[in-house]
Amino acid sequence: MPDRVLVADDDRAVREAVARALELEGYDVVTAADGVETLVLTRRSSFSALVLDVMMPHVDGVAVCRVLRADGDRTPVLMLTARAGIPDRADGLDAGADDYLPKPFEVPELLARLRALLRRAALTASPAEGEGEGEEDEDVLRTASLRVSPGTRRAWWDVAELQLTRTEFDLLELLVRNEGLVLDHAAIYRDVWGPDAGVDAKNLAGYVGYLRRKLTEAGAPGLIHTVRGVGYAVRRP
């Protein structure tokens, strides 16, 4: 069966153009004109991914994403935004969005980012509830008091569990799995966002910032180090 994608945008021209492009790529597409309709649709049926505009009436895209995550809905979310500022993008990512695409955008890039989200979702689908905690996972990754469980897609600093978005977890897992090695921007984008994704240093820096903040809030010392002009590395404190 084709992947089912919900496209939510209050601009009818944008909504229909994106829907047509996705349908031509073989997706099953459902559209919504505002945040309220989006929440109704997501609670009635399931989707492979959501493409949400930030600036929608009644309930905006950021609020929709926040409500879905609070409900335990982990459907991948690609956020569309006409706001170019980093704080505006950060709001969406903090709310639980997996990626963002600034307007105006090129359809090929939207398709590439959507493919990357769906590819990661297929490869890293969470196991059924009731399976063991991270420490029982044979593949658990450890550095200092940090534990990262790829099998359950959970991470802890000491006893505090980190509340990570899908992309944040993928980035942390990659860095911890390569502890001590400096990974350049291109390598990180290839492994986390997929080979079709473009390289945006500001986007990557934003995600690193979110990870650092969450680690700090959990009591961790500085683990993620910036190698200026090259990339990032995880090193034991």
Side-chain angles (χ1 to χ4, degrees):
M1 293 181 61
D3 286 310
R4 195 161 186 251
V5 179
L6 172 63
V7 176
D9 196 306
D10 63 317
D11 186 321
R12 181 177 178 180
V14 172
R15 185 172 69 246
E16 293 182 350
V18 171
R20 282 197 301 270
L22 293 180
E23 288 169 346
L24 288 173
E25 292 293 312
Y27 294 102
D28 179 11
V29 181
V30 175
T31 62
D34 58 50
V36 173
E37 185 180 5
T38 299
L39 289 171
V40 170
L41 289 170
T42 56
R43 285 167 172 167
R44 286 179 177 172
S45 57
S46 61
F47 296 90
S48 303
L50 310 177
V51 179
L52 303 181
D53 181 41
V54 170
M55 300 176 66
M56 293 189 292
H58 310 307
V59 179
D60 66 21
V62 173
V64 168
C65 193
R66 190 172 286 116
V67 169
L68 292 175
R69 296 307 187 233
D71 288 346
D73 189 326
R74 308 308 301 171
T75 304
V77 172
L78 174 59
M79 198 79 81
L80 305 180
T81 176
R83 298 171 176 173
I86 295 299
D88 295 311
R89 300 180 189 181
D91 286 344
L93 297 172
D94 281 343
D98 297 282
D99 200 2
Y100 69 83
L101 184 60
K103 293 180 177 181
F105 55 82
E106 298 292 334
V107 169
E109 183 177 6
L110 182 147
L111 294 174
R113 288 180 181 272
L114 183 59
R115 287 195 298 270
L117 287 183
L118 292 172
R119 192 161 51 241
R120 292 205 308 275
L123 291 173
T124 61
S126 298
E129 290 186 11
E131 294 188 5
E133 296 292 328
E135 51 268 19
E136 298 176 3
D137 183 352
E138 293 181 359
D139 192 34
V140 67
L141 307 172
R142 301 173 186 270
T143 181
S145 295
L146 179 66
R147 290 170 294 137
V148 178
S149 172
T152 60
R153 294 188 60 78
R154 299 170 71 184
W156 298 263
W157 175 262
D158 198 7
V159 296
E161 183 169 359
L162 306 177
Q163 301 302 313
L164 304 177
T165 66
R166 184 185 301 274
T167 301
E168 289 169 353
F169 182 89
D170 290 342
L171 177 57
L172 181 63
E173 179 190 350
L174 176 66
L175 292 171
V176 173
R177 194 177 289 280
N178 292 277
E179 179 186 350
L181 299 178
V182 178
L183 301 180
D184 64 34
H185 298 139
I188 294 173
Y189 267 90
R190 182 184 64 245
D191 289 347
V192 175
W193 278 267
D196 298 323
V199 175
D200 182 341
K202 291 182 179 179
N203 190 9
L204 176 55
Y207 276 105
V208 171
Y210 308 140
L211 274 180
R212 282 173 170 157
R213 185 177 66 194
K214 291 181 179 181
L215 285 164
T216 298
E217 290 173 350
L223 295 174
I224 303 176
H225 297 264
T226 301
V227 180
R228 194 171 300 278
V230 181
Y232 298 93
V234 159
R235 299 184 183 127
R236 289 176 181 268

